[in-house]
Amino acid sequence: MRTILAGLVLCSAIARAAAASEPSPDMIARGEALVVAGDCAGCHTADPAKPFAGGKRIDTPFGAIYAPNLTPDRDTGIGAWTDADFTRALRYGTAPDGSLYYPAFPYPYFTRMTKDDTLAIRAYLATVPPVASRNKLPELRWPFSYRSLMRAWNYLFFKPGLFEPDQSKSAEWNRGGYLVTGLSHCGACHTPKNYFGADKDALALSGNEVGGWFAPRLDGAARSGLKSWSVEDLAEYLQSGRNARSHADGPMAEVVVNSTAKMSDADVRAVAVYLKSLPAGPPEPAATVPAEAEMKAGQAVYARFCIACHEADGSGAPRIYPPLPGNALLQSDNPASTLRIMLDGAHTVTTPRAPNTGEMPAYAKQLSDEQIAAVTNYIRNSWGNAASLVTPADVAKARSQGP
């Protein structure tokens, strides 16, 4: 009888321990919010009907990488992983078999995350439907196809370590810093890279070209940074994809739709507070004043194709047609995003806070390289704007990178 009772007690204890180890609804909900803030679906979902099943192609300067399956399928996903496996992958870029991930997976940012947050993310991912989807091998150029080279890359460029709060700053600022420099990995797009694809830390968040677009400066630069933006401007942009100063397009539009528009008001404001506090980084390149003939040619194109929406003074209709005077992205030293919009047109994203749409037609077929260069120089150097000159060769290069 004692043996039976002891067995029952043991079984009961095991059951209680198993129940205690099950993630709570609050932990799963926190994990879902963290997954949204990290825009994990943006890379790990190729088929919207199969969220987090991987397979999406990610082009890098070194070749293509395919995002892996994050669903709890035990054979092709992460269902058989332990918590330690998941934490090691997320914070140190090491797979369960000991192989090293390429930094297209932003573990150099995720390393700043707490263990509790990594486990909350794992708890949420364990609740998504499992999908059998084998991971695709990278298509990288030689010698980058040798994964063992990542040991040298990590030694030179990877600095593991948690986010260190600044005790002189507010809790809101530190939350924003934790998200921007860690989970939300803003620098993956907005920080220039060196020859080996590592961040140039001294130029953090000072802008970077990504896939034919230019991710603009997020520092306090006067012309092409966020000096003229308020915390409210930043929060509105992140939540709705537009504000009275600019509209999101290209890769950033996807980030807004998939991530920042779904984040909590508190987290979005924390990000805005942190970004607004950043000082100006490297000096902005000196602007070049276009020749009078160039400005007249650009003005003629503007009067024919642009003035109906953007008005003669460039004021546009804020939150519908973005204003051009003082537009930070427009005055970036790198004109890639402006040229991409000129050539391909633009579609205003819709979010719960801004459901109305807006369109700008594509001019790739209507305007020559010379005409697009002229009108681009005109709007980048009118109404108090100042920026470097764009050449027809720049437009031809952008045209070749188009869809």
Side-chain angles (χ1 to χ4, degrees), residues 116-129:
D116 285 348
D117 278 355
T118 64
L119 295 182
I121 289 174
R122 172 162 169 74
Y124 169 70
L125 290 175
T127 69
V128 306

Side-chain angles (χ1 to χ4, degrees), residues 91-143:
R91 296 194 57 236
Y92 300 100
T94 303
D97 64 2
S99 62
L100 301 178
Y101 291 115
Y102 292 106
F105 172 56
Y107 67 88
Y109 296 91
F110 293 163
T111 188
R112 297 180 175 91
M113 293 173 56
T114 65
K115 183 178 180 180
D116 285 348
D117 278 355
T118 64
L119 295 182
I121 289 174
R122 172 162 169 74
Y124 169 70
L125 290 175
T127 69
V128 306
V131 177
S133 177
R134 298 248 170 232
N135 296 324
K136 298 181 181 179
L137 294 175
E139 298 172 359
L140 300 176
R141 297 192 310 275
W142 185 89

Side-chain angles (χ1 to χ4, degrees), residues 253-383:
E254 296 179 16
V255 172
V256 170
V257 171
N258 295 325
S259 179
T260 59
K262 298 178 180 179
M263 289 169 62
S264 69
D265 291 350
D267 275 353
V268 168
R269 182 173 173 83
V271 168
V273 166
Y274 177 80
L275 290 177
K276 183 58 185 173
S277 75
L278 297 179
E284 295 175 294
T288 306
V289 179
E292 184 177 354
E294 176 83 358
M295 288 294 281
K296 285 185 176 180
Q299 186 176 29
V301 176
Y302 183 86
R304 181 179 175 188
F305 293 97
C306 313
I307 202 169
C309 295
H310 290 284
E311 307 292 342
D313 61 359
S315 58
R319 299 177 181 83
I320 301 174
Y321 304 119
L324 304 179
N327 189 299
L329 179 62
L330 185 61
Q331 297 179 84
S332 295
D333 183 53
N334 186 319
S337 291
T338 298
L339 295 178
R340 195 80 274 130
I341 293 169
M342 289 274 194
L343 291 165
D344 303 335
H347 176 80
T348 301
V349 299
T350 59
T351 60
R353 286 180 170 82
N356 57 309
T357 60
E359 299 282 348
M360 175 176 161
Y363 291 109
K365 295 182 179 179
Q366 291 178 269
L367 299 177
S368 67
D369 293 348
E370 290 74 18
Q371 287 174 308
I372 290 179
V375 72
T376 301
N377 286 327
Y378 174 73
I379 62 176
R380 278 163 59 90
N381 291 281
S382 295
W383 316 298

